[in-house]
Amino acid sequence: MNRHLISAADLSRDDALLVLDTADELARISDRPIKKLPTLRGRTVVNLFFEDSTRTRISFEAAAKRLSADVINFSAKGSSVAKGESLKDTALTLEAMGADAVVIRHNASGAPHRLAEWVRGSVINAGDGAHEHPTQALLDAFTIRRRFGRSSGSGTGPPGAGPGRGEALDGLRVTIVGDILHSRVARSNVLLLHTLGAEVLLVAPPTLLPVAVDAWPCSVGYDLDAALPKSDVVMMLRLQQERMNAAFFPSVREYSRRYGLDSARMAQLPERAIVMHPGPMNRGVEIAAGVADSPRSTVVEQVANGVSVRMAVLYLLLGGAEADQ
């Protein structure tokens, strides 16, 4: 693997499978009475968050602590950033503190890339603007593989139902629905799922698709009802109204009627299909409460799997790289 994880495009097929297989091994620690390993003892991981976050920040913190790393949580609110300090000056401060890895979430696309030029430690992109969120894509792929897995203890699906440990997601049909335009999760998932062999379909109103979406390694559709019967995985995206500065659709009610996943639409899915959502959810808008809480939903699993996947990323960037030298 590279020294940094800034984009899902940074991962080759072998790199992605290595992360997923490592996460599979580390997930077993969650079943132990003591959920810690000494792997990163003496290393320092800084969570540098310029945007509000609950799941991602706590997930990275839990992952680092389970690997015995020292964790420093940095929030832009109440810090020198609020007084006008630049990202570069913040980076130089972290460098002086000896940070081995910096996990950054920033509202500006490209911020992690710039940060990687200023620090010697590894940089992990935890979400930059509407650009990318690679560890979310990894945990989504990990969740899909477990649900369709055939290795012992790694999946809930029937034997031979689909990819398992050591395997990619070849042939699986993944439909990503909703606000593609403002979603960093969608971009990272398209890149990673394509790398792992899945067929990806984006479904959204034309106004919520990026201008250059034709260059993405996926297909595009506008009819959710037509896509559902052919989908193994349906990933619903949150409608990010806080990022919208124009009228992208007539009303939230109209959007929900055409692109929301309710019980009637879920009944159109194949029997083994699953429903995903990266969170936070707008219940009653893009996903009905009954769908979000159904056995087919992987929302809670995604949160739990996020810790294992981020442990794997930290281990491979900090511990695994050193062990191979």
Side-chain angles (χ1 to χ4, degrees):
M1 286 183 64
N2 297 328
R3 185 161 60 94
H4 308 295
L5 179 56
I6 295 172
S7 166
D10 295 339
L11 298 168
S12 66
R13 185 181 174 98
D14 288 341
D15 289 336
L17 288 175
L18 177 61
V19 174
L20 299 183
D21 288 344
T22 304
D24 209 21
E25 294 291 335
L26 292 171
R28 300 177 188 179
I29 297 172
S30 300
D31 299 326
R32 297 180 182 177
I34 300 176
K35 300 176 174 61
K36 293 196 75 171
L37 290 173
T39 312
L40 298 184
R41 184 177 294 159
R43 298 299 188 99
T44 300
V45 176
V46 177
N47 288 330
L48 183 62
F49 278 64
F50 291 83
E51 279 188 334
D52 293 336
S53 170
T54 300
R55 292 167 182 79
T56 304
R57 182 181 60 79
I58 292 175
S59 181
F60 269 110
E61 183 176 358
K65 287 183 175 178
R66 287 187 185 181
L67 293 172
S68 300
D70 296 319
V71 180
I72 299 174
N73 288 316
F74 177 100
S75 175
K77 293 179 180 178
S79 72
S80 296
V81 173
K83 301 175 183 178
E85 182 174 80
S86 68
L87 176 61
K88 183 172 184 178
D89 289 330
T90 301
L92 295 176
T93 300
L94 298 177
E95 183 72 10
M97 291 179 179
D100 296 292
V102 180
V103 180
I104 179 172
R105 168 167 287 192
H106 204 284
N107 55 7
S109 299
H113 178 76
R114 294 307 305 271
L115 183 66
E117 298 173 353
W118 298 324
V119 298
R120 284 193 295 268
S122 296
V123 174
I124 301 170
N125 183 2
D128 61 330
H131 181 223
E132 282 211 47
H133 194 352
T135 60
Q136 179 68 45
L138 283 165
L139 74 88
D140 290 340
F142 182 76
T143 302
I144 294 170
R145 199 168 74 149
R146 285 202 133 195
R147 274 291 183 118
F148 288 88
R150 59 170 175 257
S151 62
S152 59
S154 72
T156 56
R165 174 175 166 71
E167 298 178 49
L169 306 178
D170 296 297
L172 283 180
R173 295 163 297 182
V174 181
T175 300
I176 303 177
V177 185
D179 187 0
I180 311 295
L181 178 63
H182 302 99
S183 177
R184 51 197 173 207
V185 173
R187 186 187 300 268
S188 288
N189 263 295
V190 167
L191 293 172
L192 183 67
L193 292 172
H194 173 73
T195 297
L196 291 172
E199 301 172 15
V200 184
L201 169 65
L202 301 180
V203 175
T207 52
L208 288 178
L209 288 168
V211 173
V213 72
D214 291 341
W216 292 18
C218 62
S219 53
V220 176
Y222 309 103
D223 188 345
L224 179 57
D225 292 302
L228 292 175
K230 299 177 285 186
S231 302
D232 298 304
V233 179
V234 177
M235 185 180 299
M236 307 304 297
L237 299 177
R238 181 174 67 89
L239 201 59
Q240 299 186 46
Q241 297 186 68
E242 73 277 5
R243 296 183 188 270
M244 297 183 184
N245 54 10
F248 290 91
F249 44 83
S251 68
V252 172
R253 183 177 180 181
E254 175 68 10
Y255 174 87
S256 182
R257 186 181 71 82
R258 292 201 59 187
Y259 294 99
L261 186 64
D262 56 17
S263 298
R265 281 202 166 110
M266 188 169 69
Q268 300 179 42
L269 290 169
E271 185 177 349
R272 68 173 188 152
I274 61 174
V275 176
M276 308 184 76
H277 196 301
M281 294 182 290
N282 290 321
R283 289 175 180 252
V285 180
E286 72 269 2
I287 189 168
V291 175
D293 298 329
S294 74
R296 285 183 158 194
S297 170
T298 66
V299 175
V300 176
E301 289 172 50
Q302 287 170 264
V303 176
N305 290 339
V307 177
S308 300
V309 166
R310 285 160 180 145
M311 286 176 69
V313 169
L314 288 170
Y315 166 73
L316 291 169
L317 291 181
L318 299 182
E322 183 181 76
D324 294 338
Q325 292 176 356

